[in-house]
Structure formats: C-alpha cells, structure tokens
C-alpha cells in the first residue's frame, strides 16, 4: 500500500492517557457525534466527555458514602480514567467536586427494613423491575432503590448522572400506572417509560425492555425473582440499569467505570440504609450484600492488577462494616470457542509469529492485549522492555519503550497502533503490557482511516536472558447497537488449532467423559484462560455453565488458566450452574421482558445470578434446600478448569418440564 | 355438454392495509351441496336430470313456497352476498369529503353528523417525528412475524382474544369483517385528501422492512382499522363504550395500539399517523354501533392541532396521551337500518354466555 509505514519507538513519543482512551479519541469518537445531516437535532443527546472523572481512588481512606476524589486529573496507566463519555442529557453539570460530601440521598428517601434483611444488587441493562416477580402480593415493590444511569438527569444534585428511584417512588409509580390501585393491573409500557427503563425518544435511549428479551430482567429474575405469594420479606433488591452499549465503547473501555460506580453506589446505599435504621445501636453492622454483575471483558491482566479487579478488592477491604458479608458474582464468559486467546512460550531470542485474523466489513476497531511477567527492576518511562514486538511488519521485532507507542500510518492517518506500558509487582518483578489496536475495516465516511482485513502477523521476540511466556488475548468487540452484527470479532488463526475432533464434535479445554475431547496443548491458541478478565480475582465468584441433563460443561463457557503459569492467583471458575437444560432444549427458562412472560436464555450471564440466588438465600437463612451438589449423582467428573469446585443446581418444587 | 362453470371466487386480497380477507370469500360461483362447482358436475347433473325428471307438467302438482318478507334478515344469503348487501347499506350512510373551506383536510359524515375531521401536520412536524423511526426500528427483529402477518390479516389477532371464528360467533366475525371493509373504503378517501409522504421519502436510512404502500402516510390505515374493530368488539364483549374501554386500557385497545405501533417499527408510519388513525377508527366504529343499535353515535371531537393526540412531552403515540386527548360528544340519531339491526342482534346474542371480568376487558 502506498503511504503505509510504521513510526519508530521514540522516547519522546509517549501518551499521558490510557491507551484505550487514546485510541477512542482518535478513531471511535466520531461514532459518538451526531452527523450534521442527521435528523436528530436534539443536542442534548450528543455524547461528550464529561468534565469529571469518577475516581474513588483511595477507597480505604474514603469516608463511607462520600465521593472520594473526583478530579479531571491525568493518570498513569492501569488506573483511573480521565473521563467517561456521557450524553449531556444524563449529566449533572452541577455535581460538586468535593470529596468530603456525600453522594447519598436524604435519608427520608431511604426505606425502613428489618435488620435481618439480605440485599441482592443487580447491575445490568434493561431491567424491568416492576414485574410481579419483584413485588409482594399487596403490589408493593421489593426494590429498595434503582439507579437509572441512562436516564435524563432529574435534579438529584447528589447524583453524578442519571436518576434514581427509591422504594416509595417505585410504589407510587406502580400505583399511578395501575389505575390507582397498588396491586391493580400494571401498564408496564407506561411504567417503564416513566421510570426511564425504556426511552423511545433519544438516540442513546434504552429499548431492550420494550422487546421480548431483556438481559437485565432475565438476570434479576434468576437472582431475586420470586412469586409474590412466596416472596421472602427479608430478601430485597437494589438495581442499577447501566447505560446503552454506545457508552461502553467498542472495546468495553468505559464499561469498567460504569460497573464500578454502580457497585460502589449499591454498597454505599446499603450502608446508608443501615445507618438510617441502626446507626446508634450498631454502627459496624450492616445488611449482607450480594451483587450480581453479568458482564465482563476478554482481555486484561486477569489478576488483581486489573483496574476493575483492584477496585473490587478495594471495596472488599473498606474498613467500615468490614465484617458484613459482601459477595460479588460474575459470569465466566462465553468466549471459550472464539479463538481469542494464545500463549506464546519464548526462549531467549527465538522469535515466534501469531496470526491475528481481522475480518472484512468490520465496523469496529480490534484490539489485542499481550502480557508477560519479567524478573528484574521495573524500567522507567522511555526505557526499553525485554519483549520485542512487530505487527504486520517485515522488519525484525523492536523492543517497545515504556509509555511509548508506534503508529502504522496511511497517508498521514493512524490505522493501527502498538502501545507499551509496565506495571511493577515488586522491586524484583514487573509485568509488561502491549495493546495492539487496529481501525475498522469498513467505514461509511470515506475520509476516515480504514485498516486492511486479513491476517496481521504478530511477531514476538524475547530479548531477556530467561524464558518469557506471553499471554495474548483479543479484547471484547461489540457493536454500538445491541443487536447489530456490524462488529465482527477477530480471532487467532493458526493451522495447528483444532476446533473439531475426528467425529465432528467441538473440542474443549478439558475432556468430559467420552463426550468431549480435550484440546491439543501444542498449539499456541488455546481455550484456557478465556475466562472473564473482570472476574479474575480470588474474591469474586466467577460462575461457569453446564448442561443440566448430563452435567457436561457448556462448550461456550470460558475456561480457567489450567496448568499454565501465571503469577499469584490463577483464575478459575468458582462453581458452575446450569445454562442449558439439555442438548435439544436451549438455555434455561427465566422471565422475559414483559410481565408474566418466560423465555429461554443461554449463557454464563444466567449462571451467575443463580449463584447469587443461592448465596442470598443462605445468608437470609431462607431455603437451604435451594442447592444441591452433583457429587452424589453419577455423571462423569468434570475438570475444574471448566466448572471450578463443583456443579450446583437449584432444586425447585415444581420445575417446568420443557 | 360442457359448460364453463366455477365461480369467480376469491376476495380482493392484500394490497390495502389489512386486506379484505374473508369477507368477500365464497365469491360469485357458490358451492353445491357436496362440493365445488365444476363442468364435470354440471354435466353429471344434466344426465341425472334427463334420467330422473321425466315428463312433467308445469301446471300440475307443484309445491307452494312461501313468499319471503323483504326486510327480514339476510340469513338466506351466502356470506359473501350478505356482506355485499350490508356493505352497501352501511356505505350509503357515510360520506367523506374534503373541507378546505373550514380549514380541515377531510371529514367523515354519518347522515347529518360530522363524526370525524382532521387537518394535516406539516412537513416540519413529520421531520420531528423521524427520531421514532430510528428508535422503534430496534424492535424490528422482535416483531417480524407480527408485522408480516399483519400486512394482510389483523382479524386473527382479535380472534385470539376470545372464541371468535366462522364456527363460533360467526355473526360477530361477519360484523367485524364488515367493520374493517367499510373502514378501508372510508380511510382511503381520507388518506387521499390528507396525502403526505411516507417516512421512506425523507431519508434513505429508514429502509422499511416491508414494502411501503402507495397511499398517504397520514392517517395510518392499520391504526384506523384496528381501532374500529377494537371499538366494536369491545362493545360486543362488554357493552361498554369506547371511552371506558380506553381508560381501562381494555385488551382490544391494547391490541389495536400494538398493531398500530408495529407499522412504525416496520418503518412505514409516523406515530402521528397512528394517533389520528386511531381517532378516526374509533369514530367509525362508534358510528357503526350507532347504526346497528339505532342510537346516537359517540363522536370524537377533532384531533387537537397542537399535539395530534400524542404525548405532549415526547411526541410519541401512547395509550395514556391518546385516552386523555379525546373528547367524546353525541351526534344526531341515525337513520333506521333494519338489516344492520338484525345482524347486530345476532352478533350480540353470541355473547350472552360471556361475562367480562370486572374492569371489563382487562
């Protein structure tokens, strides 16, 4: 191609904002702005970077429920964002930048509940929380609070964006839309619009709950849905409805921050409610809290170095209310078979090449993260790292410079970049991270940079004395609209990776009886380690899926690291719950978007809330018969890399026979 | 001897919103006692007649049939012919006319009562509605089966609300088919006088999932027909009038609303088309009820020129805003139409074993 060439690593060419944000601002940002020839003239729906970064950096030192550090500061890599994009209509432009102030509502808005209450927090999208499954027979809600992150800012000055409803607000809204009766027939459409769950007006509004399937509603039902007649008094709900996909960025860049804010807020609300009801008598007590977050990312350190994982760690270590049970539940992920993970063993100086296959007609950027651990002193900014790299370049791999980047430019526009950074683990060990970004391969605006599709060779070379093991992961790749197919996922394309065995069945990371064959460990591309990067922390319950009829671990359910070496904690699933009823019966049954409907949903997103249900029931001393262990049932052993400690199942008295 | 037999048969089918469907079915040819007409059967009947009839004297013993009364029910007719007679009876009571001298685009009169009239929003207003074509399109994948079926058939959906088909509640079904057919004939005239471009005319990115029909976007035929049918069906099921039904969001109106909204999902209508169409449909439905009951029709007063019966804040077509926006008044007593009264009585009688729930229709 003419005009195509890489720049050189240069100690003067560095970035001061995290690589994903840098790439976002160069390549993805224009997708967020409304074209001038469009028919959307409402400027308030335009996304811009907010003025604030939501930091909460020093969680341990933070006064409970205060805002922590909220600054527009620059940060080093691996840590806080500089800003997150929000539609202007969502933003509280008057949010005061005062870290000592509370971001909680007035306690009059908070409910009175019994001391033995257990709270289930669900963070998701399209949660239609007025369904009967989340209410009592008298029509009142079991939801204590609902933060609608995507809603127009409604004047709640303590909230950074969106709007929040409390138990009384929800009850009032239910009554308004039920013809004046608390337990009358609810006009769900009207409730959802009023509550900001469905927004047909705004380009960036939520529509999911207006359809038949809604991820968040299904998750909430599994985690805390009960028939009104038997709903426990002491299991209550706090809900956060995340913004639409467009807010997350193509790589899920900003998802971490919305998730973290949601979690922190649920925890703080739980404490605030306790304080309202109990402060004098028992200031250190609290309501046990189980938070389910059925989201994740592919690439990351997959350790507690990950930003999000570190934040969860910080939350768990917060000194206030330290003895109150606090559980986080997340899914293992569904990308086991997506060829998104490779482990490259590098002897000193011998280069190896990994094929990264980027698809045509892909309207989203593609990303790979490469991590390795090196013994020695952490190099300073501008200094070389021992792992050398080249991307789609016939020249020999070059050693990256810390905080630096190189750019593949075509006619002056960047179509790919490689960013380099380091993170110190101790004074004798550090980790190197490369992030490789490529532009979309199809764009409708012909002025914008487009990357060629096909195989991009990643060549790695070890310039260290001792062997290095490089972990390569393709990052989450999603389209901006939820059901769109315009984001084509790239994959590692190596001839020795087998997808199917000689009988035509899919291979998995581990064998299962004589039903499933294990992968050949000779290939660099592997299913092991595809586990959710956001859930790769010892203290997070990371839930895998299996087929209920025969115990077979779901072929799509992401695998733990297995025997592959990694520093510190080796991520594995915690346990597994059913995600398919049988080979013929897809998924498991749960609530649909509409009140009273049932739909079949498949994926580890729906395994996680089942575990949240088990945990919350245990904590509430409510239905210890909820779980059973498959250990007594005669089915083949399954490998812990797929199912963690064991498989569980929730026994119900009258299960629907499909 | 071979005769050319067989019927002309069939209906008008597709094309119009909702289609004509079964109402005209059966056609002109008709069937014999054991099956359809054919040249073979006619030939066979010729031979049989030759063999059996023998010589007969027209002045000899013959039956004495009774002379039927003129104005009784139309039960003696085949369904298709019955529909045609009733359609003619209904049609002569309505008149659609443009009303430019009064500042309105079109109106519908029932006898001397103006039961409906509307003006037309301008292009700027329709442009402001385009954002709904964008957001409702996200529901397309969900609604494919409904939208495709509803291009030709909306009655099957109303038939799902209770036991309603040719075997059970036959007269009610005939009545509803009649309601739909007369509504189409009225709505097409109104559409012509209100002719406005379809969403696809504004932007190449709308890309409707079904073919955009040739007639005006405003008002929506589907909204008109579905609300006309809902009005009459609700009255049959519950004896309630439409304002109560709308206020309680009774099931027939919920369904009518969904059928209307599906057209925005499909990319062929604006919300304003559906709101005005709904008002027109209810007016027509009420008028038909009045003719059938020989009473005064409940008329909906004009669409509010400011917000077109749409939600004031959002501009969307919602049941709440619509129910709030209409103001019913009573028109003049209708002309007596015994044939319609007879059909109505038969239809109403089919619901005597049906007791709606309290808060009827929920």
């Amino acid at each position: 191609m003419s005009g195509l060439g890489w720049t050189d690593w240069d100690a003067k060419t560095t970035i001061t904002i995290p690589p994903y944000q840098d790439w976002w601002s160069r390549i993805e940002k224009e997708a967020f702005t409304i074209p001038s020839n469009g028919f959307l003239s409402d400027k308030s729906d335009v996304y811009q970077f907010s003025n604030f970064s939501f930091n909460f950096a020093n969680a341990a030192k933070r006064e409970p429920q205060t805002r922590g550090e909220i600054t527009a500061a620059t940060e080093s890599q691996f840590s806080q964002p500089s800003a997150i994009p929000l539609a202007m209509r969502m933003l509280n432009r008057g949010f005061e930048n005062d870290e000592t102030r509370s971001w909680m509502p007035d306690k009059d808005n908070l409910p009175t509940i019994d001391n033995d209450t257990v709270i289930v927090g669900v963070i998701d999208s399209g949660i239609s929380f007025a369904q009967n499954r989340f209410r009592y027979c008298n029509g009142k809600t079991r939801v204590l609070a609902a933060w609608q992150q995507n809603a127009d800012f409604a004047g709640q000055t303590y909230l950074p964006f969106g709007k929040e409803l409390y138990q009384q607000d929800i009850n009032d809204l239910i009554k308004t839309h039920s013809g004046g009766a608390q337990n009358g027939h609810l006009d769900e459409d009207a409730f959802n619009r009023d509550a900001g769950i469905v927004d047909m007006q705004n380009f960036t509004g939520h529509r999911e709950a207006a359809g038949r399937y809604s991820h968040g509603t299904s998750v909430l039902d599994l985690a805390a849905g009960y028939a009104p007649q038997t709903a426990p008094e002491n299991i209550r709900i706090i809900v956060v409805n995340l913004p639409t996909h467009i807010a997350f960025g193509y790589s899920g860049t900003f998802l971490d921050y919305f998730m973290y804010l949601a979690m922190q807020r649920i925890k703080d609300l739980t404490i605030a409610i306790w304080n309202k009801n109990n402060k004098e008598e028992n200031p250190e007590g609290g309501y046990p809290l189980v938070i389910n977050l059925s989201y994740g990312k592919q690439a990351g350190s997959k350790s507690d170095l990950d930003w999000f994982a570190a934040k969860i760690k910080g939350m768990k270590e917060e000194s206030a209310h330290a003895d109150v049970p606090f559980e986080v539940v997340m899914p293992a992920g569904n990308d086991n078979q997506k060829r998104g993970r490779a482990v490259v063993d590098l002897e000193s100086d011998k280069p190896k090449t990994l094929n990264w296959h980027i698809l045509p007609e892909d309207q989203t950027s593609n990303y790979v993260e490469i991590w390795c651990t090196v013994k020695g002193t952490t190099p300073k900014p501008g200094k070389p790292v021992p792992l050398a790299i080249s991307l789609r370049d016939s020249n020999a791999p070059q050693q990256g410079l810390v905080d630096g980047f190189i750019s593949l430019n075509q006619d002056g526009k960047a179509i790919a970049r490689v960013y380099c950074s380091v993170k110190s683990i101790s004074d004798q060990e550090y980790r190197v991270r490369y992030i490789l970004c490529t532009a979309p391969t199809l764009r409708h605006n012909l002025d914008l940079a487009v990357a060629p599709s096909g195989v991009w060779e990643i060549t790695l070379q070890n310039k260290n004395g001792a062997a290095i093991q490089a972990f390569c992961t393709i990052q989450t790749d999603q389209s901006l609209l939820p059901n769109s197919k315009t984001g084509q996922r790239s994959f590692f394309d190596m001839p020795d990776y087998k997808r199917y065995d000689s009988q035509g069945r899919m291979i998995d990371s581990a064998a299962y009886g004589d039903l499933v064959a294990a992968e050949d460990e000779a290939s660099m591309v592997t299913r092991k380690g595809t586990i959710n990067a956001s859930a790769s922390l010892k203290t997070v319950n990371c839930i895998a899926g299996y087929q209920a009829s025969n115990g077979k671990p779901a072929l799509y359910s992401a695998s733990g690291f297995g025997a592959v070496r990694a520093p510190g904690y080796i991520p594995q699933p915690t346990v597994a719950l059913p995600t398919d009823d049988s080979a013929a019966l897809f998924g498991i049954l749960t609530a649909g978007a509409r009140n009273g409907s049932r739909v079949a949903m498949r994926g580890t997103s729906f395994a996680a809330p089942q575990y949240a249900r088990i945990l919350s029931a245990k904590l509430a001393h409510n239905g210890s018969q909820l779980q059973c262990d498959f250990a007594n049932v005669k089915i083949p052993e399954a490998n812990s890399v797929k199912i963690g400690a064991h498989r569980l199942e929730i026994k119900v008295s009258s299960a629907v026979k499909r | 001897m071979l005769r050319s037999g067989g019927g002309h048969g069939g209906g008008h089918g597709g094309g119009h919103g909702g289609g004509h469907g079964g109402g005209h079915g059966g056609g002109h040819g008709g069937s014999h006692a054991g099956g359809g007409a054919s040249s073979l059967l006619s030939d066979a009947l010729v031979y049989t007649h030759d063999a059996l009839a023998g010589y007969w004297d027209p002045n000899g013993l013959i039956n004495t049939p009774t002379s039927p009364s003129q104005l009784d029910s139309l039960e003696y007719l085949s369904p298709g012919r019955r529909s045609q007679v009733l359609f003619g009876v209904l049609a002569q009571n309505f008149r659609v006319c443009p009303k430019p001298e009064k500042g309105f685009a079109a109106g519908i009169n029932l006898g001397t009562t103006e039961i409906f009239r509307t003006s037309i929003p301008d292009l700027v207003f329709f442009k402001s509605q385009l954002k709904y074509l964008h957001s409702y399109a996200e529901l397309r994948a969900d609604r494919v089966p409904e939208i495709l079926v509803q291009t030709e058939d909306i009655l099957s959906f109303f038939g799902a609300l209770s036991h309603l088909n040719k075997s059970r509640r036959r007269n009610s079904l005939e009545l509803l088919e009649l309601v739909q057919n007369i509504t189409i004939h009225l709505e097409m005239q109104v559409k012509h006088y209100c002719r406005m471009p379809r969403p696809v005319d504004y932007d190449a990115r709308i890309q409707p999932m079904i073919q955009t029909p040739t007639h005006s976007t405003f008002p929506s035929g589907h909204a008109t027909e579905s609300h006309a049918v809902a009005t009459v069906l609700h009255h049959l099921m519950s004896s309630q009038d439409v304002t109560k039904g709308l206020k309680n969001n009774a099931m027939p109106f919920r369904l009518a609303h969904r059928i209307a909204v599906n057209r925005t999902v499909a990319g062929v209508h604006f919300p304003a088309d559906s709101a005005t169409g709904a008002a027109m449909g209810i007016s027509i439905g009420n008028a038909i009820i009045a003719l059938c009951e020989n009473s005064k029709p409940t008329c909906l007063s004009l669409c509010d020129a400011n917000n077109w019966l749409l939600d004031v804040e959002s501009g969307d077509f919602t049941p709440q805003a619509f129910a709030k926006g209409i103001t019913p008044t009573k028109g003049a007593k209708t002309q007596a139409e015994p044939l319609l009264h007879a059909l109505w009585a038969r239809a109403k009688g089919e619901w005597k074993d049906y007791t709606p729930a309290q808060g009827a229709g929920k």
Side-chain angles (χ1 to χ4, degrees):
Chain A
M1 259 186 234
S2 65
L4 189 69
W6 283 99
T7 58
D8 292 318
W9 293 99
D10 181 342
K12 296 194 217 64
T13 312
T14 58
I15 49 165
T16 51
I17 61 173
Y20 284 112
Q21 272 85 323
D22 182 72
W23 188 255
W24 187 93
S25 67
R26 258 157 230 299
I27 297 287
E28 297 183 22
K29 198 160 121 187
E30 75 279 336
F32 284 66
T33 59
I34 310 303
S36 59
N37 64 343
F39 38 70
L40 296 161
S41 54
D42 181 1
K43 294 263 180 331
S44 71
D45 206 27
V46 172
Y47 263 66
Q48 297 182 19
F49 276 128
S50 64
N51 289 329
F52 312 109
S53 72
F54 302 101
N55 219 331
F56 299 100
N58 298 310
K61 293 190 216 152
R62 185 181 68 103
E63 281 301 309
Q65 308 147 58
T66 58
R67 300 169 192 198
E69 291 173 25
I70 300 179
T71 65
T74 59
E75 316 73 21
S76 60
Q77 306 85 318
F78 302 90
S79 68
Q80 310 88 338
S82 58
I84 55 175
L86 291 169
M88 296 311 288
R89 57 179 182 77
M90 293 154 65
L91 180 64
N92 172 5
R93 286 174 238 209
F95 188 68
E96 290 192 19
N97 238 347
D98 178 350
E99 66 187 71
T100 62
R101 291 192 59 176
S102 169
W103 69 321
M104 291 293 104
D106 191 278
K107 63 180 195 273
D108 289 341
N109 281 319
L110 299 174
T112 304
I113 52 177
D114 292 335
N115 283 357
D116 68 346
T117 301
V118 171
I119 295 179
V120 176
V122 171
I123 302 166
D124 216 293
S125 158
I127 307 173
S128 184
F129 53 80
Q131 290 199 2
N132 283 11
R133 296 276 296 173
F134 317 125
R135 293 160 67 184
Y136 293 109
C137 278
N138 61 8
K140 293 203 166 169
T141 185
R142 292 173 39 234
V143 177
L144 302 172
W147 183 17
Q148 307 289 78
Q149 290 186 339
N150 206 59
D152 291 2
F153 175 61
Q156 292 163 308
T157 53
Y158 51 85
L159 261 190
F161 55 91
K163 93 171 170 189
E164 195 161 68
L165 298 167
Y166 306 101
Q167 183 180 270
Q168 193 51 51
D169 303 318
I170 298 169
N171 283 333
D172 290 343
L173 258 189
I174 288 174
K175 201 169 177 190
T176 302
H177 295 297
S178 303
Q182 191 64 51
N183 59 352
H185 177 89
L186 176 68
D187 182 342
E188 226 176 339
D189 280 312
F191 178 94
N192 283 350
R193 282 176 195 226
D194 232 336
I197 297 168
V198 167
D199 173 3
M200 302 308 278
Q201 275 202 88
N202 290 306
F203 180 69
T204 52
H206 269 300
R207 252 70 82 186
E208 220 181 323
R212 184 155 183 252
Y213 301 91
S214 180
H215 191 275
T217 309
S218 296
V219 165
L220 179 60
D221 185 41
L222 289 167
Y226 292 86
Q229 299 83 346
T230 51
E233 274 296 321
N234 64 340
I235 299 182
R236 301 290 182 118
I237 300 166
I238 296 181
V239 146
V240 177
N241 261 315
L242 293 166
T244 45
H245 281 216
I246 193 174
F248 303 158
Y250 293 122
S251 63
T253 301
F254 305 108
L255 175 60
D256 281 354
Y257 312 125
F258 289 108
M259 291 201 300
Y260 168 64
L261 282 173
M263 288 185 65
Q264 189 69 70
R265 187 157 184 85
I266 291 177
K267 187 154 191 275
D268 285 1
L269 277 168
T270 304
I271 295 170
I273 297 172
W274 177 267
N275 286 348
K276 168 179 170 146
N277 290 289
N278 286 290
K279 180 121 196 210
E280 276 79 41
E281 302 84 27
N282 187 358
E284 289 304 310
Y287 306 108
L289 174 62
V290 179
I291 294 185
N292 185 88
L293 234 177
S294 281
Y295 278 82
K297 286 162 65 163
Q298 299 321 110
S301 72
K302 309 219 183 197
S303 72
D304 53 9
L305 293 179
D306 175 78
W307 183 89
F308 183 71
K311 283 297 186 217
I312 299 182
K313 192 160 180 250
M315 281 178 63
K316 293 201 132 203
E317 288 168 1
E318 272 182 340
S319 53
H321 310 270
D323 294 331
V324 180
F326 171 46
E327 296 282 355
V328 177
V329 184
M330 296 181 77
N334 302 323
D335 291 345
N336 196 42
Q337 302 285 351
K338 298 268 169 81
R339 294 179 281 176
R341 172 93 169 157
V343 180
V344 186
D345 289 301
L346 293 159
E347 295 298 324
S348 183
D349 230 25
K350 296 196 182 90
K352 281 190 176 169
T353 297
L354 178 64
N355 293 340
W356 179 23
H357 192 137
I358 295 180
L359 291 178
E361 308 253 317
D362 178 8
Q363 296 188 43
T364 60
S365 296
N366 292 287
Y367 310 83
V368 165
E369 287 195 22
I370 301 176
W371 290 78
C372 68
T373 304
V374 181
K375 293 215 184 307
T377 324
T378 310
K380 300 254 181 298
K383 294 295 179 205
V385 297
L387 179 61
I389 189 169
S390 71
L391 175 64
R392 200 186 174 94
D393 191 353
S394 51
N395 293 322
Q398 300 294 310
Q399 288 171 264
L401 302 182
V402 175
D403 289 355
F405 67 92
I406 52 173
S407 209
L408 180 62
N409 292 332
Q410 182 171 27
D411 302 325
K413 286 184 271 219
I415 61 168
R417 282 203 163 175
V418 178
Y419 300 88
C420 175
S421 28
V422 293
K423 177 77 172 175
S424 182
I425 298 173
S426 68
D427 52 9
Q428 284 148 23
E429 203 179 41
Y430 62 95
R431 298 193 81 189
V432 175
R433 178 185 73 177
Y434 282 113
I435 298 183
L436 285 53
C437 307
T438 62
T441 58
L442 171 68
R443 305 181 92 174
H444 296 303
N445 182 342
L446 300 182
D447 293 330
L448 298 174
V450 161
S453 61
V455 172
W456 288 54
E457 291 183 342
I458 302 170
T459 304
L460 298 171
Q461 189 171 19
N462 178 1
K463 295 297 199 185
N464 198 30
I468 282 180
Q469 197 172 38
F471 297 92
C472 311
T473 314
I474 294 174
Q475 185 52 293
T476 304
D477 185 357
Q478 56 155 30
S479 321
L480 291 185
L481 290 180
N483 292 320
S484 170
K485 303 265 189 286
T486 54
Q488 302 283 2
R489 179 177 243 135
S490 58
F491 60 97
F492 292 130
D493 191 8
M494 300 300 288
D496 60 358
Y497 176 86
K498 294 198 198 63
R499 299 172 75 192
Y500 302 97
D501 66 16
S502 57
Q503 295 180 58
R505 298 178 302 189
M506 286 195 103
I507 293 172
D508 205 342
S509 51
Y512 185 70
D514 52 10
L515 289 181
V516 179
E519 66 182 8
D520 183 349
E521 305 213 336
S523 177
M524 284 192 281
V525 184
T526 175
R527 294 158 183 82
K528 295 191 191 64
T530 49
I531 198 166
N532 185 357
S534 302
S536 303
L537 186 67
K538 217 180 307 190
T539 49
V540 167
N541 299 285
C542 179
I543 314 300
Y546 72 92
Q547 185 175 300
S549 60
N550 61 1
K552 181 178 88 168
L555 289 164
Y556 49 80
S557 182
S559 307
F561 275 41
V564 174
R565 293 197 316 275
Y569 172 64
I570 296 176
Q572 297 280 67
T574 309
V575 289
L577 273 291
T579 51
D580 285 290
D581 279 337
S582 73
L585 296 171
F586 168 101
I588 52 168
L589 291 182
T590 174
R594 313 296 290 181
N595 199 8
S597 68
R598 304 299 278 168
V599 293
M601 299 291 260
R602 160 193 273 183
T604 55
S605 280
F606 308 101
Q610 293 176 64
Y611 193 61
R613 188 186 194 89
I614 290 172
L615 289 177
S616 62
K618 266 193 183 156
L619 287 166
H621 308 295
N622 194 314
S624 55
Q625 298 80 23
L626 267 188
Q627 65 169 86
C628 88
D629 191 328
F630 256 114
N632 294 332
V633 180
K634 286 200 176 1
I635 50 171
E637 287 288 311
N639 196 303
S640 62
V641 82
K642 292 289 296 184
I643 61 156
H646 45 224
R647 287 156 290 193
L648 295 179
E649 183 188 38
I650 297 177
K651 286 278 185 230
V652 291
S653 52
S654 51
V656 172
K657 290 215 182 316
R658 289 172 73 185
Chain B
M1 273 170 282
L2 288 173
R3 310 284 165 96
S4 63
H8 300 269
H12 295 257
H16 301 268
H20 293 266
H24 295 264
H28 301 267
S31 328
H32 290 256
S38 71
S39 44
L40 175 65
L41 177 55
S42 290
D43 266 352
L45 286 168
V46 168
Y47 283 104
T48 313
H49 168 258
D50 281 352
L52 298 184
Y55 176 81
W56 56 280
D57 178 357
N59 296 316
L61 286 169
I62 58 172
N63 298 333
T64 311
T66 43
S67 172
S69 82
Q70 305 303 317
L71 298 177
D72 266 333
S73 75
L74 298 170
E75 289 285 88
Y76 71 98
L77 287 173
S78 61
R81 294 297 183 188
R82 186 161 54 239
S83 283
Q84 287 168 340
V85 173
L86 289 168
F87 183 90
V89 167
L90 260 181
Q92 69 199 3
N93 281 279
F94 289 99
R95 183 161 173 79
V96 178
C97 38
K99 301 190 178 208
E101 73 285 0
K102 296 193 179 168
F104 291 93
I108 305 177
N109 281 5
L110 172 71
T112 55
T113 306
E114 183 186 71
I115 59 159
F116 177 78
R117 64 180 173 177
T118 184
S119 46
I120 323 172
D122 58 24
L123 285 170
V124 170
F125 178 84
F126 280 115
K127 257 190 158 166
S128 77
Q129 294 251 292
L130 277 170
K131 61 181 183 245
Y132 292 108
L133 275 304
H134 178 273
S135 46
Y136 275 100
E138 289 183 34
L139 305 181
R140 282 184 188 179
D142 250 20
R143 307 261 175 130
V144 167
E146 291 169 60
I147 289 171
L148 290 181
V149 170
Q150 286 165 7
T151 54
E152 305 263 318
D153 168 16
I154 61 169
L155 282 182
S156 292
F157 294 84
F158 287 100
L161 302 186
S162 62
H163 205 151
L164 179 67
N165 65 358
K166 286 188 164 60
S167 318
R168 285 286 294 275
R169 300 199 172 106
R170 175 179 67 86
N171 293 285
S172 301
L173 183 59
E174 279 191 22
L175 173 61
L176 293 178
E177 286 169 349
L178 192 61
V179 168
Q180 188 182 8
N181 290 337
I182 195 73
T183 302
I184 292 172
H185 282 262
L186 296 172
E187 106 207 351
M188 284 302 163
Q189 294 173 76
V190 173
K191 273 172 172 282
H192 172 67
Y193 296 127
C194 294
R195 187 180 167 194
M196 282 303 262
R198 292 269 184 172
V200 77
D201 292 316
Y202 288 81
D203 198 301
R205 291 170 291 185
I206 309 272
Q207 296 177 24
M209 59 178 276
I210 53 174
Q211 178 56 44
T212 301
T214 51
H215 37 89
S216 168
T217 199
F218 181 90
S220 158
H222 271 71
T224 311
E225 292 158 47
S226 63
H227 282 80
V229 168
T231 301
V232 175
L233 178 60
H234 182 64
H235 196 70
L236 278 173
M237 289 169 85
S238 69
S239 299
Q240 265 188 9
D241 70 51
V242 68
T243 23
K244 253 224 173 104
L246 279 174
K247 185 161 161 291
N248 293 335
N249 207 9
M251 196 59 80
F253 293 103
R254 260 186 259 172
L255 173 59
H257 183 260
R258 187 173 173 100
I259 291 171
V261 166
N262 278 345
R263 300 296 280 181
T264 302
V265 174
V268 297
H269 273 295
F270 299 96
D273 306 339
S274 294
T276 298
M280 182 161 73
I282 290 170
S283 308
I284 295 170
N286 278 339
I288 294 172
I289 292 170
L291 279 168
C292 287
E293 289 183 331
N294 194 19
S295 61
K296 297 181 183 171
T298 307
C299 312
L300 298 189
S301 92
L302 340 158
C303 294
D304 186 321
N306 286 332
N307 68 345
W308 301 96
L309 293 173
L310 301 166
D311 183 83
V312 170
E313 270 200 41
S314 68
D316 200 359
F317 173 46
T318 64
Q320 298 76 21
F322 182 77
K324 258 201 212 146
I326 56 172
T327 321
T329 55
K330 278 281 185 223
K333 195 151 189 265
T334 52
Q335 167 161 300
E337 294 287 3
L339 292 175
L340 288 172
H341 305 160
L343 171 63
W344 178 257
R346 286 196 306 273
K348 199 82 179 101
E350 289 170 340
W351 298 88
K352 59 181 189 297
D353 58 351
Y354 181 86
T355 313
Q358 283 309 303
K362 280 196 179 167

